[in-house]
Amino acid sequence: MSTITKDGQAESSSVGSILWMALRMSILFIILCGIAYPFISTGLAQLLFPAQANGSLLKDKEGNVVGSELIGQAFTDPKYFQGRVSSIDYKAEASGSNNYGPSNPDMLERTKASIEQWKKDNPDVPIDQLPIALITNSGSGLDPHITPQSASVQIPRISKLTGISEQELQSLVDEYTENRDLGIFGDKRVNVLKINLALREALK
């Protein structure tokens, strides 16, 4: 292989020197991108945001990890607050949804089943007060939050099953209602796992 100099003279470049240069560049970028950058970014994350870097894990009073505040869970016991419907059963490795349209037969069947279950579990709450968020799937199927209204409508059922007054439960909902990000982004929300941990402590 040859190149042309300013003087028009041919200059030989050995294949070996080109390969050596390519090898050096590869080693350099492996060190920079494969070792240095991950090491620095991981170190900074652990130093500045340790909780988030480790998965935003939540622990109970005994120090046992019970989940992540970023991933929803299924609560089958009706004495606890229920989260949104998840078509993937809250499996974090399978994030997503079926993306059904509003006229899809499977979605209509699932929605009807959710409504019937609501009627059964919450006979004191009229169906017209049922927030649509409680019977619809989020885009990821892993939404850990519900709206404050979705939490409040569950209070009569939880109060009846636990013996905790509705006023106390509403105070709990108010306490665990998170504001919009920076005051303007998103909506007010309640983390279902957090409020259920607080509810479990209240039941002891």
Side-chain angles (χ1 to χ4, degrees), residues 134-186:
L134 286 179
I135 56 173
T136 55
N137 191 82
S138 67
S140 67
L142 301 173
D143 193 350
H145 298 99
I146 54 176
T147 63
Q149 180 191 9
S150 297
S152 294
V153 295
Q154 300 184 57
I155 286 177
R157 179 193 78 242
I158 297 171
S159 178
K160 184 180 294 185
L161 293 173
T162 62
I164 301 175
S165 71
E166 293 191 14
Q167 291 76 16
E168 289 180 271
L169 289 170
Q170 185 59 57
S171 295
L172 194 65
V173 170
D174 295 339
E175 179 183 352
Y176 281 86
T177 295
E178 303 171 10
N179 288 319
R180 296 178 175 88
D181 296 329
L182 301 179
I184 55 175
F185 298 111

mmCIF file of all heavy atoms in Angstrom, residues 134-186:
data_model
loop_
_atom_site.group_PDB
_atom_site.id
_atom_site.type_symbol
_atom_site.label_atom_id
_atom_site.label_comp_id
_atom_site.label_asym_id
_atom_site.label_seq_id
_atom_site.Cartn_x
_atom_site.Cartn_y
_atom_site.Cartn_z
ATOM 1 N N LEU A 134 -57.662 2.496 37.756
ATOM 2 C CA LEU A 134 -57.605 1.234 38.506
ATOM 3 C C LEU A 134 -57.979 0.017 37.660
ATOM 4 O O LEU A 134 -57.751 -1.115 38.075
ATOM 5 C CB LEU A 134 -58.503 1.303 39.734
ATOM 6 C CG LEU A 134 -57.992 2.144 40.908
ATOM 7 C CD1 LEU A 134 -59.005 2.141 42.047
ATOM 8 C CD2 LEU A 134 -56.633 1.639 41.395
ATOM 9 N N ILE A 135 -58.557 0.244 36.501
ATOM 10 C CA ILE A 135 -58.962 -0.888 35.661
ATOM 11 C C ILE A 135 -58.270 -0.855 34.299
ATOM 12 O O ILE A 135 -58.650 -1.589 33.391
ATOM 13 C CB ILE A 135 -60.491 -0.932 35.465
ATOM 14 C CG1 ILE A 135 -61.006 0.374 34.886
ATOM 15 C CG2 ILE A 135 -61.192 -1.258 36.774
ATOM 16 C CD1 ILE A 135 -62.478 0.345 34.498
ATOM 17 N N THR A 136 -57.260 -0.007 34.176
ATOM 18 C CA THR A 136 -56.504 0.057 32.923
ATOM 19 C C THR A 136 -55.027 -0.191 33.203
ATOM 20 O O THR A 136 -54.521 0.110 34.269
ATOM 21 C CB THR A 136 -56.663 1.428 32.228
ATOM 22 O OG1 THR A 136 -56.303 2.474 33.143
ATOM 23 C CG2 THR A 136 -58.088 1.619 31.754
ATOM 24 N N ASN A 137 -54.361 -0.738 32.202
ATOM 25 C CA ASN A 137 -52.948 -1.082 32.294
ATOM 26 C C ASN A 137 -52.088 0.126 31.943
ATOM 27 O O ASN A 137 -52.423 0.885 31.039
ATOM 28 C CB ASN A 137 -52.662 -2.218 31.308
ATOM 29 C CG ASN A 137 -51.303 -2.839 31.512
ATOM 30 O OD1 ASN A 137 -51.133 -3.683 32.370
ATOM 31 N ND2 ASN A 137 -50.330 -2.439 30.712
ATOM 32 N N SER A 138 -50.985 0.319 32.648
ATOM 33 C CA SER A 138 -50.059 1.374 32.256
ATOM 34 C C SER A 138 -49.241 0.908 31.060
ATOM 35 O O SER A 138 -49.238 -0.282 30.717
ATOM 36 C CB SER A 138 -49.122 1.718 33.420
ATOM 37 O OG SER A 138 -48.267 0.632 33.712
ATOM 38 N N GLY A 139 -48.543 1.831 30.417
ATOM 39 C CA GLY A 139 -47.763 1.470 29.239
ATOM 40 C C GLY A 139 -46.700 0.427 29.514
ATOM 41 O O GLY A 139 -46.441 -0.435 28.678
ATOM 42 N N SER A 140 -46.088 0.491 30.687
ATOM 43 C CA SER A 140 -45.034 -0.463 31.035
ATOM 44 C C SER A 140 -45.570 -1.706 31.723
ATOM 45 O O SER A 140 -44.918 -2.745 31.751
ATOM 46 C CB SER A 140 -44.007 0.200 31.956
ATOM 47 O OG SER A 140 -44.591 0.508 33.206
ATOM 48 N N GLY A 141 -46.762 -1.604 32.319
ATOM 49 C CA GLY A 141 -47.289 -2.706 33.121
ATOM 50 C C GLY A 141 -46.633 -2.794 34.482
ATOM 51 O O GLY A 141 -46.882 -3.739 35.235
ATOM 52 N N LEU A 142 -45.790 -1.797 34.804
ATOM 53 C CA LEU A 142 -45.028 -1.834 36.056
ATOM 54 C C LEU A 142 -45.263 -0.591 36.913
ATOM 55 O O LEU A 142 -44.527 -0.369 37.880
ATOM 56 C CB LEU A 142 -43.524 -1.933 35.749
ATOM 57 C CG LEU A 142 -43.064 -3.145 34.938
ATOM 58 C CD1 LEU A 142 -41.589 -3.011 34.585
ATOM 59 C CD2 LEU A 142 -43.306 -4.431 35.707
ATOM 60 N N ASP A 143 -46.258 0.194 36.577
ATOM 61 C CA ASP A 143 -46.488 1.462 37.279
ATOM 62 C C ASP A 143 -46.651 1.225 38.783
ATOM 63 O O ASP A 143 -47.565 0.515 39.209
ATOM 64 C CB ASP A 143 -47.743 2.129 36.721
ATOM 65 C CG ASP A 143 -47.884 3.576 37.169
ATOM 66 O OD1 ASP A 143 -47.114 3.997 38.050
ATOM 67 O OD2 ASP A 143 -48.762 4.279 36.645
ATOM 68 N N PRO A 144 -45.793 1.826 39.618
ATOM 69 C CA PRO A 144 -45.893 1.614 41.062
ATOM 70 C C PRO A 144 -46.839 2.596 41.750
ATOM 71 O O PRO A 144 -47.048 2.500 42.950
ATOM 72 C CB PRO A 144 -44.454 1.841 41.538
ATOM 73 C CG PRO A 144 -43.935 2.886 40.601
ATOM 74 C CD PRO A 144 -44.588 2.609 39.271
ATOM 75 N N HIS A 145 -47.396 3.533 40.986
ATOM 76 C CA HIS A 145 -48.207 4.593 41.576
ATOM 77 C C HIS A 145 -49.679 4.489 41.172
ATOM 78 O O HIS A 145 -50.021 3.913 40.136
ATOM 79 C CB HIS A 145 -47.693 5.969 41.134
ATOM 80 C CG HIS A 145 -46.299 6.268 41.572
ATOM 81 N ND1 HIS A 145 -45.208 6.116 40.735
ATOM 82 C CD2 HIS A 145 -45.815 6.696 42.773
ATOM 83 C CE1 HIS A 145 -44.109 6.460 41.398
ATOM 84 N NE2 HIS A 145 -44.447 6.806 42.624
ATOM 85 N N ILE A 146 -50.521 5.073 42.012
ATOM 86 C CA ILE A 146 -51.918 5.314 41.670
ATOM 87 C C ILE A 146 -52.212 6.771 42.008
ATOM 88 O O ILE A 146 -51.448 7.424 42.727
ATOM 89 C CB ILE A 146 -52.885 4.384 42.439
ATOM 90 C CG1 ILE A 146 -52.638 4.472 43.959
ATOM 91 C CG2 ILE A 146 -52.758 2.951 41.954
ATOM 92 C CD1 ILE A 146 -53.612 3.651 44.788
ATOM 93 N N THR A 147 -53.306 7.284 41.504
ATOM 94 C CA THR A 147 -53.673 8.655 41.821
ATOM 95 C C THR A 147 -54.215 8.715 43.250
ATOM 96 O O THR A 147 -54.683 7.698 43.790
ATOM 97 C CB THR A 147 -54.751 9.161 40.860
ATOM 98 O OG1 THR A 147 -55.943 8.365 41.018
ATOM 99 C CG2 THR A 147 -54.273 9.075 39.406
ATOM 100 N N PRO A 148 -54.167 9.890 43.885
ATOM 101 C CA PRO A 148 -54.756 10.011 45.223
ATOM 102 C C PRO A 148 -56.232 9.600 45.246
ATOM 103 O O PRO A 148 -56.687 8.984 46.217
ATOM 104 C CB PRO A 148 -54.588 11.500 45.538
ATOM 105 C CG PRO A 148 -53.380 11.906 44.760
ATOM 106 C CD PRO A 148 -53.474 11.119 43.476
ATOM 107 N N GLN A 149 -56.958 9.910 44.183
ATOM 108 C CA GLN A 149 -58.362 9.504 44.112
ATOM 109 C C GLN A 149 -58.497 7.988 44.087
ATOM 110 O O GLN A 149 -59.374 7.404 44.731
ATOM 111 C CB GLN A 149 -59.028 10.107 42.865
ATOM 112 C CG GLN A 149 -60.496 9.735 42.724
ATOM 113 C CD GLN A 149 -61.089 10.107 41.383
ATOM 114 O OE1 GLN A 149 -60.352 10.510 40.469
ATOM 115 N NE2 GLN A 149 -62.395 9.972 41.247
ATOM 116 N N SER A 150 -57.582 7.323 43.345
ATOM 117 C CA SER A 150 -57.621 5.861 43.264
ATOM 118 C C SER A 150 -57.330 5.220 44.614
ATOM 119 O O SER A 150 -57.778 4.106 44.887
ATOM 120 C CB SER A 150 -56.606 5.360 42.229
ATOM 121 O OG SER A 150 -56.927 5.815 40.934
ATOM 122 N N ALA A 151 -56.563 5.914 45.452
ATOM 123 C CA ALA A 151 -56.302 5.415 46.809
ATOM 124 C C ALA A 151 -57.498 5.683 47.715
ATOM 125 O O ALA A 151 -57.914 4.814 48.496
ATOM 126 C CB ALA A 151 -55.046 6.076 47.369
ATOM 127 N N SER A 152 -58.071 6.873 47.599
ATOM 128 C CA SER A 152 -59.163 7.258 48.502
ATOM 129 C C SER A 152 -60.408 6.399 48.334
ATOM 130 O O SER A 152 -61.094 6.090 49.313
ATOM 131 C CB SER A 152 -59.521 8.739 48.286
ATOM 132 O OG SER A 152 -58.450 9.573 48.687
ATOM 133 N N VAL A 153 -60.705 5.992 47.094
ATOM 134 C CA VAL A 153 -61.917 5.195 46.882
ATOM 135 C C VAL A 153 -61.789 3.789 47.472
ATOM 136 O O VAL A 153 -62.793 3.086 47.613
ATOM 137 C CB VAL A 153 -62.283 5.089 45.381
ATOM 138 C CG1 VAL A 153 -62.653 6.444 44.810
ATOM 139 C CG2 VAL A 153 -61.164 4.449 44.586
ATOM 140 N N GLN A 154 -60.582 3.385 47.823
ATOM 141 C CA GLN A 154 -60.387 2.070 48.431
ATOM 142 C C GLN A 154 -60.506 2.102 49.956
ATOM 143 O O GLN A 154 -60.513 1.052 50.610
ATOM 144 C CB GLN A 154 -59.011 1.519 48.042
ATOM 145 C CG GLN A 154 -58.811 1.360 46.532
ATOM 146 C CD GLN A 154 -57.472 0.728 46.184
ATOM 147 O OE1 GLN A 154 -57.159 -0.374 46.640
ATOM 148 N NE2 GLN A 154 -56.675 1.409 45.377
ATOM 149 N N ILE A 155 -60.599 3.307 50.504
ATOM 150 C CA ILE A 155 -60.619 3.463 51.960
ATOM 151 C C ILE A 155 -61.786 2.735 52.635
ATOM 152 O O ILE A 155 -61.578 2.074 53.663
ATOM 153 C CB ILE A 155 -60.585 4.961 52.327
ATOM 154 C CG1 ILE A 155 -59.173 5.508 52.082
ATOM 155 C CG2 ILE A 155 -61.009 5.190 53.773
ATOM 156 C CD1 ILE A 155 -59.024 6.998 52.328
ATOM 157 N N PRO A 156 -63.027 2.834 52.143
ATOM 158 C CA PRO A 156 -64.128 2.119 52.812
ATOM 159 C C PRO A 156 -63.868 0.624 52.958
ATOM 160 O O PRO A 156 -64.137 0.036 54.012
ATOM 161 C CB PRO A 156 -65.331 2.401 51.903
ATOM 162 C CG PRO A 156 -65.012 3.718 51.269
ATOM 163 C CD PRO A 156 -63.528 3.682 51.032
ATOM 164 N N ARG A 157 -63.339 -0.011 51.915
ATOM 165 C CA ARG A 157 -63.050 -1.446 51.981
ATOM 166 C C ARG A 157 -61.966 -1.734 53.004
ATOM 167 O O ARG A 157 -62.113 -2.639 53.842
ATOM 168 C CB ARG A 157 -62.576 -1.930 50.600
ATOM 169 C CG ARG A 157 -62.218 -3.414 50.558
ATOM 170 C CD ARG A 157 -61.465 -3.810 49.301
ATOM 171 N NE ARG A 157 -60.051 -3.441 49.336
ATOM 172 C CZ ARG A 157 -59.480 -2.600 48.480
ATOM 173 N NH1 ARG A 157 -60.176 -2.025 47.510
ATOM 174 N NH2 ARG A 157 -58.183 -2.320 48.589
ATOM 175 N N ILE A 158 -60.885 -0.987 52.946
ATOM 176 C CA ILE A 158 -59.760 -1.213 53.851
ATOM 177 C C ILE A 158 -60.158 -0.942 55.294
ATOM 178 O O ILE A 158 -59.763 -1.676 56.212
ATOM 179 C CB ILE A 158 -58.559 -0.343 53.427
ATOM 180 C CG1 ILE A 158 -58.079 -0.761 52.032
ATOM 181 C CG2 ILE A 158 -57.413 -0.459 54.439
ATOM 182 C CD1 ILE A 158 -57.038 0.158 51.433
ATOM 183 N N SER A 159 -60.957 0.092 55.507
ATOM 184 C CA SER A 159 -61.413 0.422 56.862
ATOM 185 C C SER A 159 -62.242 -0.715 57.442
ATOM 186 O O SER A 159 -62.079 -1.098 58.604
ATOM 187 C CB SER A 159 -62.229 1.722 56.835
ATOM 188 O OG SER A 159 -62.719 2.033 58.117
ATOM 189 N N LYS A 160 -63.112 -1.272 56.635
ATOM 190 C CA LYS A 160 -63.979 -2.368 57.092
ATOM 191 C C LYS A 160 -63.166 -3.616 57.424
ATOM 192 O O LYS A 160 -63.457 -4.332 58.389
ATOM 193 C CB LYS A 160 -65.021 -2.680 56.015
ATOM 194 C CG LYS A 160 -66.032 -3.730 56.431
ATOM 195 C CD LYS A 160 -67.033 -3.995 55.308
ATOM 196 C CE LYS A 160 -67.897 -2.772 55.054
ATOM 197 N NZ LYS A 160 -68.958 -3.045 54.045
ATOM 198 N N LEU A 161 -62.103 -3.877 56.647
ATOM 199 C CA LEU A 161 -61.314 -5.090 56.835
ATOM 200 C C LEU A 161 -60.252 -4.965 57.930
ATOM 201 O O LEU A 161 -59.822 -5.973 58.499
ATOM 202 C CB LEU A 161 -60.630 -5.482 55.519
ATOM 203 C CG LEU A 161 -61.563 -5.931 54.386
ATOM 204 C CD1 LEU A 161 -60.782 -6.112 53.103
ATOM 205 C CD2 LEU A 161 -62.283 -7.215 54.767
ATOM 206 N N THR A 162 -59.823 -3.743 58.200
ATOM 207 C CA THR A 162 -58.736 -3.550 59.170
ATOM 208 C C THR A 162 -59.193 -2.952 60.493
ATOM 209 O O THR A 162 -58.493 -3.064 61.503
ATOM 210 C CB THR A 162 -57.649 -2.624 58.588
ATOM 211 O OG1 THR A 162 -58.222 -1.329 58.329
ATOM 212 C CG2 THR A 162 -57.074 -3.209 57.309
ATOM 213 N N GLY A 163 -60.344 -2.296 60.483
ATOM 214 C CA GLY A 163 -60.794 -1.630 61.701
ATOM 215 C C GLY A 163 -60.193 -0.240 61.891
ATOM 216 O O GLY A 163 -60.499 0.452 62.867
ATOM 217 N N ILE A 164 -59.350 0.181 60.964
ATOM 218 C CA ILE A 164 -58.786 1.534 61.011
ATOM 219 C C ILE A 164 -59.828 2.499 60.454
ATOM 220 O O ILE A 164 -60.445 2.231 59.425
ATOM 221 C CB ILE A 164 -57.484 1.614 60.190
ATOM 222 C CG1 ILE A 164 -56.453 0.635 60.736
ATOM 223 C CG2 ILE A 164 -56.931 3.033 60.201
ATOM 224 C CD1 ILE A 164 -55.177 0.567 59.911
ATOM 225 N N SER A 165 -60.020 3.611 61.134
ATOM 226 C CA SER A 165 -61.065 4.552 60.725
ATOM 227 C C SER A 165 -60.756 5.147 59.343
ATOM 228 O O SER A 165 -59.590 5.240 58.932
ATOM 229 C CB SER A 165 -61.195 5.684 61.738
ATOM 230 O OG SER A 165 -60.076 6.551 61.679
ATOM 231 N N GLU A 166 -61.805 5.550 58.646
ATOM 232 C CA GLU A 166 -61.621 6.152 57.330
ATOM 233 C C GLU A 166 -60.831 7.444 57.428
ATOM 234 O O GLU A 166 -60.066 7.786 56.511
ATOM 235 C CB GLU A 166 -62.988 6.394 56.673
ATOM 236 C CG GLU A 166 -63.735 5.107 56.332
ATOM 237 C CD GLU A 166 -64.959 5.347 55.453
ATOM 238 O OE1 GLU A 166 -65.072 6.465 54.901
ATOM 239 O OE2 GLU A 166 -65.774 4.424 55.307
ATOM 240 N N GLN A 167 -61.016 8.184 58.521
ATOM 241 C CA GLN A 167 -60.274 9.427 58.699
ATOM 242 C C GLN A 167 -58.765 9.158 58.800
ATOM 243 O O GLN A 167 -57.947 9.875 58.202
ATOM 244 C CB GLN A 167 -60.756 10.163 59.958
ATOM 245 C CG GLN A 167 -62.159 10.741 59.859
ATOM 246 C CD GLN A 167 -63.250 9.678 59.994
ATOM 247 O OE1 GLN A 167 -62.980 8.551 60.447
ATOM 248 N NE2 GLN A 167 -64.469 10.025 59.609
ATOM 249 N N GLU A 168 -58.400 8.113 59.549
ATOM 250 C CA GLU A 168 -56.989 7.760 59.680
ATOM 251 C C GLU A 168 -56.406 7.320 58.342
ATOM 252 O O GLU A 168 -55.270 7.670 57.996
ATOM 253 C CB GLU A 168 -56.817 6.639 60.707
ATOM 254 C CG GLU A 168 -57.060 7.045 62.144
ATOM 255 C CD GLU A 168 -56.880 5.873 63.094
ATOM 256 O OE1 GLU A 168 -57.858 5.149 63.342
ATOM 257 O OE2 GLU A 168 -55.739 5.682 63.577
ATOM 258 N N LEU A 169 -57.177 6.550 57.600
ATOM 259 C CA LEU A 169 -56.701 6.079 56.304
ATOM 260 C C LEU A 169 -56.555 7.228 55.315
ATOM 261 O O LEU A 169 -55.603 7.262 54.522
ATOM 262 C CB LEU A 169 -57.652 5.016 55.751
ATOM 263 C CG LEU A 169 -57.625 3.668 56.489
ATOM 264 C CD1 LEU A 169 -58.767 2.787 56.034
ATOM 265 C CD2 LEU A 169 -56.288 2.961 56.279
ATOM 266 N N GLN A 170 -57.480 8.183 55.374
ATOM 267 C CA GLN A 170 -57.364 9.338 54.480
ATOM 268 C C GLN A 170 -56.135 10.172 54.842
ATOM 269 O O GLN A 170 -55.444 10.693 53.957
ATOM 270 C CB GLN A 170 -58.626 10.203 54.570
ATOM 271 C CG GLN A 170 -58.643 11.368 53.582
ATOM 272 C CD GLN A 170 -58.534 10.914 52.133
ATOM 273 O OE1 GLN A 170 -59.345 10.131 51.657
ATOM 274 N NE2 GLN A 170 -57.506 11.394 51.433
ATOM 275 N N SER A 171 -55.849 10.270 56.124
ATOM 276 C CA SER A 171 -54.637 10.982 56.548
ATOM 277 C C SER A 171 -53.396 10.271 56.025
ATOM 278 O O SER A 171 -52.408 10.918 55.637
ATOM 279 C CB SER A 171 -54.574 11.071 58.079
ATOM 280 O OG SER A 171 -55.638 11.851 58.583
ATOM 281 N N LEU A 172 -53.452 8.938 55.999
ATOM 282 C CA LEU A 172 -52.333 8.157 55.468
ATOM 283 C C LEU A 172 -52.151 8.425 53.979
ATOM 284 O O LEU A 172 -51.029 8.597 53.490
ATOM 285 C CB LEU A 172 -52.578 6.668 55.723
ATOM 286 C CG LEU A 172 -51.387 5.723 55.537
ATOM 287 C CD1 LEU A 172 -50.307 6.019 56.575
ATOM 288 C CD2 LEU A 172 -51.846 4.276 55.649
ATOM 289 N N VAL A 173 -53.263 8.466 53.257
ATOM 290 C CA VAL A 173 -53.204 8.770 51.823
ATOM 291 C C VAL A 173 -52.619 10.159 51.597
ATOM 292 O O VAL A 173 -51.756 10.356 50.734
ATOM 293 C CB VAL A 173 -54.603 8.663 51.182
ATOM 294 C CG1 VAL A 173 -54.582 9.206 49.749
ATOM 295 C CG2 VAL A 173 -55.084 7.224 51.186
ATOM 296 N N ASP A 174 -53.074 11.124 52.385
ATOM 297 C CA ASP A 174 -52.557 12.489 52.241
ATOM 298 C C ASP A 174 -51.061 12.546 52.535
ATOM 299 O O ASP A 174 -50.308 13.248 51.848
ATOM 300 C CB ASP A 174 -53.302 13.443 53.188
ATOM 301 C CG ASP A 174 -54.775 13.589 52.833
ATOM 302 O OD1 ASP A 174 -55.128 13.302 51.672
ATOM 303 O OD2 ASP A 174 -55.565 13.977 53.717
ATOM 304 N N GLU A 175 -50.642 11.793 53.545
ATOM 305 C CA GLU A 175 -49.227 11.787 53.926
ATOM 306 C C GLU A 175 -48.357 11.207 52.828
ATOM 307 O O GLU A 175 -47.228 11.677 52.595
ATOM 308 C CB GLU A 175 -49.044 10.978 55.212
ATOM 309 C CG GLU A 175 -47.604 10.891 55.682
ATOM 310 C CD GLU A 175 -47.435 10.023 56.930
ATOM 311 O OE1 GLU A 175 -48.465 9.614 57.519
ATOM 312 O OE2 GLU A 175 -46.278 9.743 57.295
ATOM 313 N N TYR A 176 -48.860 10.180 52.137
ATOM 314 C CA TYR A 176 -48.058 9.512 51.116
ATOM 315 C C TYR A 176 -48.354 9.985 49.697
ATOM 316 O O TYR A 176 -47.909 9.363 48.729
ATOM 317 C CB TYR A 176 -48.226 7.994 51.230
ATOM 318 C CG TYR A 176 -47.388 7.425 52.343
ATOM 319 C CD1 TYR A 176 -47.866 7.381 53.654
ATOM 320 C CD2 TYR A 176 -46.083 7.000 52.110
ATOM 321 C CE1 TYR A 176 -47.095 6.899 54.691
ATOM 322 C CE2 TYR A 176 -45.301 6.514 53.143
ATOM 323 C CZ TYR A 176 -45.803 6.464 54.433
ATOM 324 O OH TYR A 176 -45.016 6.007 55.454
ATOM 325 N N THR A 177 -49.064 11.084 49.575
ATOM 326 C CA THR A 177 -49.294 11.668 48.252
ATOM 327 C C THR A 177 -48.078 12.490 47.848
ATOM 328 O O THR A 177 -47.678 13.418 48.557
ATOM 329 C CB THR A 177 -50.551 12.555 48.249
ATOM 330 O OG1 THR A 177 -51.705 11.742 48.500
ATOM 331 C CG2 THR A 177 -50.717 13.242 46.893
ATOM 332 N N GLU A 178 -47.473 12.113 46.756
ATOM 333 C CA GLU A 178 -46.290 12.817 46.255
ATOM 334 C C GLU A 178 -46.725 13.900 45.280
ATOM 335 O O GLU A 178 -47.616 13.699 44.456
ATOM 336 C CB GLU A 178 -45.352 11.831 45.550
ATOM 337 C CG GLU A 178 -44.905 10.675 46.437
ATOM 338 C CD GLU A 178 -44.164 9.599 45.665
ATOM 339 O OE1 GLU A 178 -43.840 9.841 44.476
ATOM 340 O OE2 GLU A 178 -43.912 8.522 46.230
ATOM 341 N N ASN A 179 -46.085 15.066 45.366
ATOM 342 C CA ASN A 179 -46.427 16.183 44.494
ATOM 343 C C ASN A 179 -45.830 16.007 43.105
ATOM 344 O O ASN A 179 -44.982 15.128 42.875
ATOM 345 C CB ASN A 179 -45.945 17.499 45.106
ATOM 346 C CG ASN A 179 -46.777 17.908 46.309
ATOM 347 O OD1 ASN A 179 -47.999 17.771 46.303
ATOM 348 N ND2 ASN A 179 -46.117 18.402 47.350
ATOM 349 N N ARG A 180 -46.243 16.875 42.191
ATOM 350 C CA ARG A 180 -45.677 16.864 40.847
ATOM 351 C C ARG A 180 -44.178 17.132 40.904
ATOM 352 O O ARG A 180 -43.703 17.858 41.773
ATOM 353 C CB ARG A 180 -46.352 17.936 39.979
ATOM 354 C CG ARG A 180 -47.839 17.704 39.736
ATOM 355 C CD ARG A 180 -48.420 18.842 38.916
ATOM 356 N NE ARG A 180 -49.814 18.601 38.574
ATOM 357 C CZ ARG A 180 -50.830 18.945 39.338
ATOM 358 N NH1 ARG A 180 -50.612 19.561 40.503
ATOM 359 N NH2 ARG A 180 -52.069 18.696 38.954
ATOM 360 N N ASP A 181 -43.432 16.540 39.957
ATOM 361 C CA ASP A 181 -41.996 16.786 39.894
ATOM 362 C C ASP A 181 -41.747 18.257 39.600
ATOM 363 O O ASP A 181 -42.295 18.821 38.635
ATOM 364 C CB ASP A 181 -41.354 15.922 38.807
ATOM 365 C CG ASP A 181 -41.465 14.435 39.121
ATOM 366 O OD1 ASP A 181 -41.468 14.087 40.311
ATOM 367 O OD2 ASP A 181 -41.560 13.633 38.168
ATOM 368 N N LEU A 182 -40.925 18.882 40.438
ATOM 369 C CA LEU A 182 -40.603 20.307 40.323
ATOM 370 C C LEU A 182 -41.851 21.179 40.375
ATOM 371 O O LEU A 182 -41.834 22.342 39.990
ATOM 372 C CB LEU A 182 -39.824 20.593 39.028
ATOM 373 C CG LEU A 182 -38.494 19.847 38.858
ATOM 374 C CD1 LEU A 182 -37.846 20.196 37.524
ATOM 375 C CD2 LEU A 182 -37.540 20.170 40.000
ATOM 376 N N GLY A 183 -42.937 20.590 40.853
ATOM 377 C CA GLY A 183 -44.176 21.344 40.991
ATOM 378 C C GLY A 183 -44.994 21.489 39.723
ATOM 379 O O GLY A 183 -46.117 22.005 39.758
ATOM 380 N N ILE A 184 -44.474 21.030 38.575
ATOM 381 C CA ILE A 184 -45.187 21.237 37.313
ATOM 382 C C ILE A 184 -45.287 19.986 36.443
ATOM 383 O O ILE A 184 -46.185 19.892 35.603
ATOM 384 C CB ILE A 184 -44.536 22.368 36.484
ATOM 385 C CG1 ILE A 184 -43.038 22.078 36.264
ATOM 386 C CG2 ILE A 184 -44.716 23.722 37.168
ATOM 387 C CD1 ILE A 184 -42.353 23.081 35.351
ATOM 388 N N PHE A 185 -44.380 19.025 36.623
ATOM 389 C CA PHE A 185 -44.362 17.851 35.743
ATOM 390 C C PHE A 185 -45.116 16.674 36.359
ATOM 391 O O PHE A 185 -44.969 16.377 37.542
ATOM 392 C CB PHE A 185 -42.922 17.429 35.435
ATOM 393 C CG PHE A 185 -42.122 18.469 34.711
ATOM 394 C CD1 PHE A 185 -41.074 19.115 35.336
ATOM 395 C CD2 PHE A 185 -42.432 18.808 33.403
ATOM 396 C CE1 PHE A 185 -40.333 20.082 34.675
ATOM 397 C CE2 PHE A 185 -41.702 19.774 32.726
ATOM 398 C CZ PHE A 185 -40.654 20.416 33.366
ATOM 399 N N GLY A 186 -45.913 16.002 35.520
ATOM 400 C CA GLY A 186 -46.647 14.837 35.983
ATOM 401 C C GLY A 186 -47.844 15.214 36.841
ATOM 402 O O GLY A 186 -48.302 16.359 36.867
#
